[in-house]
Amino acid sequence: MTQPIPFQSIPFQNVARLPMPGDNVAIVTRKVPAGTVIEYNGQSLTLDYTVLEGHRFAIAPIAPGEHLLSWELPFGIATQGIAPGQYVHNEEMLEALGGRSISFALPTTPNFKDFVPPYVLDEANFQPAEGLPAYAHERAFWGYPRAGGRGVGTRNTIILLGTSSRTGGFVKQLEARLAGVANAWPNIDGIVAVAHTEGGHDDPHNTEFVLRTLAGFVVHPNAGAVLCVDYGVEPVTNALLQEYLADNDYPLDAVPHEFLTLTDGFQTSLDRAEGIVRDWLEDVNATSRDLTPLSELKLALQCGGSDAFSGVSGNPLIGWVAREVVRYGGGANLAETDELIGAEPYVLQKVKNVETARHFLDLIARFQERVGWHGHTAEGNPSGGNKFRGLYNIVLKSIGAARKKDPETRLDGVLEYGERMAEGGYFFMDSPGNDLESIAGQVASGCNAIFFVTGNGSITNFPFVPTIKVVTTTQRYQLLSRDMDVNAGRYLDGTPMDELGAETLDLTVRVASGERTVGEKAGHSQVQLWRDWRQTEPGHVEEISRMPQPKGLSLPLLPNLQSPIPNLQYPAFPKAAGSTSGPSAERIALILPTSLCSGQIAKMAAAQFNSKGLGKEAGISRFVALAHTEGCGSSGGGTGDPYVRSLVGYLRHPAAAHVLLLEHGCEKTHNDYFRHELAERGIDLSRYGWASIQSDGGIDAVLEKVEKWFVEQFAGEKAPAPITAGVENVRIALLNSGELSDVAAIQLGRLAAGIVAGGGGVVVPENSGLLSSPAFLAETIGPGPHLPTLAYGQALADAGDTTGFHVMETPTSHWAETLTGLGGTGVEAVLAYVGGHPVEGHPLVPVLQVTGEESVEQRYSADMDAVLGDDPAGWAQEMADLLAATLGRSHKPKAAQVGNIDFQFTRGLLGVSM
């Protein structure tokens, strides 16, 4: 019988690191197989299980009830005796690994439980800390000096700001119109859109945060000029923003600016906005870089896609740089409130005064309280990717995140979200752990450079502030070298921190002086403000959780209705093999990002493939990417996860002929997560493609892989011969925006009733004015109230009835969130009656805008797909004809023609940023 070959012993330093000498667990620097013998301090430690890179094993005996220590701080309590060499693992980490494709044995039960050490500020014995000694010599960078106390810019950018979510599509199209214009002006670094998800829905609770953030953007030192755009009717408007700027002494007069309210058609308004920007070019270009002291530099310190080495290499490195910048008189901004829970002893070991310490702890308590209103705990912050890469719980994540503050650095002050940094020093700013939301607040506070540390390889960039990306290990840097600026893994490989820090400080000065970062060269960015939350007090979680769940059964029409079945025929594609839906109106190649972090790369892929004309021979009309803000940095909740449910709905959409899921790699909802979700629903996984930005080697490599997968799907595939579809095949959504007259409501009701009577399906969102209109209800389902028949984003294919009249639940009034949920149901067109300003469309589902209102016709007729005729009796058939033309692909909706589209999943009643 062949004997197994014994493992050779390996020196500890070859495979593991100990963050601090007093720790009783070590971190492995690469995957180490079970049975490996590690030589440590004269001991031979044998690993009982395979330990993944970034995970921990004991180096000393840990008795039941004793603390597990990393960075000499407790993060867990042993639930059984743990011997040296044993893999340490909690329940959450085992659960996270269980959802991954793992080829080796895992422990079956945890050997420690989480421990969040309570922290009590000892005010009686508090000792104020001395600040860092300032350097006697100056250091400088080449920046853009600004008047009015705005500071010094590291970039000179014209900002196109959507004041609310409703004008996001407008500023993005304006940016596209002006693409390349800045290249002709040597002192203008770009003309960029800032679109976001907030300020456009009723009854927001985050208005103060939104206004403070937008105000900070407007006067930011990197702003050469700012155009703010609204419709004038949103909850957050230009007028409200102007008032906030004035009331809070923001130096608005020191910034070239214009507040533009859209009162004309989309294209006419674009012409006007373009003229405003072009008139600025010469003046903005007249500002040139000048040599300015490093005291004008303010660093945003961020980490995302963190791993076990973030706190060993990457975060200490940017903490070193921040320390030096502070000594030169500059500023640094630490954020992500929930990612410092458990690290309070470290953060507060050096503080300017007791008031600052107290304020820091108050903000942590306030954050925990808000999260608790939604039925969550901040301890749920770590993502599946964090756990997969060794951050088992919030304490380990927090201890590592806190290392962005160097041990020598004093905490000088505490800021509210987006509050301006008035002076140099090291500050903490309240924010969620969501990277994009946190960065927006730091930029609003005046940070003119961003450090972003990532263990997994996050590719986040901001539109008008340069982001220096720091990766924690050499192995990950080699995989993603074209997407990262700094390899902090060199510290693990033996480079002294002082040497690496000095190099990174030099790079920071060069970037501040105009050298472009890797992210700026890549040309993609995202903005997200601290998203709204629905609960404002405790006590509602159980009530919401007990709300009845939609049963999927359509609502019956009133008996004896006289609505005629509309003449509605159009060419369609036959039902695909294995599909649960009928004929499809379009054949689309869909790229679905599994989280916010992969959204911009998905959009890049779709744009590239559309420009190449891929799939045309297979009958593919276009590639679509559904970029969004979810999948990480939040806790969804309540009656199921609306994001997951909706995304699965899109995977099954009738128009989606070929679908690929694109993960970033470290999110909560990664590819393996959705493999599990689809398998649970009995859906054939072989229908889908899968790609990973991190695991497949970065942006260029993953784009190549995604293109190859689609080309393979199209190989030998011919466009199906069209068939004639009728009203029985129609699945549409109806809703309204703005004023709704009884005349319009009656005709919309007759259209809906006629489609349903003909065997088709109609979905109306719960928040639509149609369902509160007696005139509409009298033509369809009768007086209410009517409970939803579909959950938000629930696919009709999963419902009891795929036809008939359905009501979809809508937790908010947010227009884009409503459209996104409707798309998840599988409708193939949305018809919106417009009684106010034009509305955004949807990237996948055609959204038609019709009106019979004279006021809308006078202002916005160019944006309407139909201005209905003088005789309302013919409106139902007019709308049916428009639907037939759209479903038959002979009419492209106006919103899609001009690019006024948006896409945003809801977080429901219990979702909250974390």
Side-chain angles (χ1 to χ4, degrees), residues 617 711-718:
E617 70 287 348
V711 168
E712 289 173 352
Q713 305 310 301
F714 302 150
E717 188 176 36
K718 299 297 181 183

Side-chain angles (χ1 to χ4, degrees), residues 451-475:
F451 269 121
F452 195 95
V453 175
T454 178
N456 290 287
S458 182
I459 51 174
T460 297
N461 299 294
F462 195 82
F464 60 86
V465 179
T467 301
I468 300 171
K469 286 193 279 293
V470 180
V471 71
T472 61
T473 63
T474 296
Q475 180 182 5

Side-chain angles (χ1 to χ4, degrees), residues 526-545:
Q526 281 176 281
V527 178
Q528 184 175 325
L529 313 190
W530 194 332
R531 286 197 67 188
D532 196 18
W533 55 90
R534 304 309 301 160
Q535 305 308 312
T536 59
E537 60 184 6
H540 299 291
V541 173
E542 289 190 15
E543 173 191 348
I544 292 169
S545 299

Side-chain angles (χ1 to χ4, degrees), residues 528-580:
Q528 184 175 325
L529 313 190
W530 194 332
R531 286 197 67 188
D532 196 18
W533 55 90
R534 304 309 301 160
Q535 305 308 312
T536 59
E537 60 184 6
H540 299 291
V541 173
E542 289 190 15
E543 173 191 348
I544 292 169
S545 299
R546 290 196 302 267
M547 291 170 63
Q549 296 298 294
K551 300 184 184 302
L553 300 175
S554 62
L555 298 171
L557 296 175
L558 288 170
N560 304 317
L561 289 174
Q562 300 301 313
S563 299
I565 297 173
N567 179 15
L568 209 168
Q569 291 188 328
Y570 56 96
F573 295 103
K575 176 180 178 180
S579 173
T580 56

Side-chain angles (χ1 to χ4, degrees), residues 155 157 159 175 189-195 217 222 439 443 450 461-467 520 524-528:
R155 298 293 182 268
T157 308
I159 299 171
E175 178 190 62
D189 293 296
I191 303 172
V192 301
V194 175
F217 289 174
N222 284 10
I439 288 171
V443 169
I450 300 165
N461 299 294
F462 195 82
F464 60 86
V465 179
T467 301
E520 288 179 297
H524 62 86
S525 61
Q526 281 176 281
V527 178
Q528 184 175 325

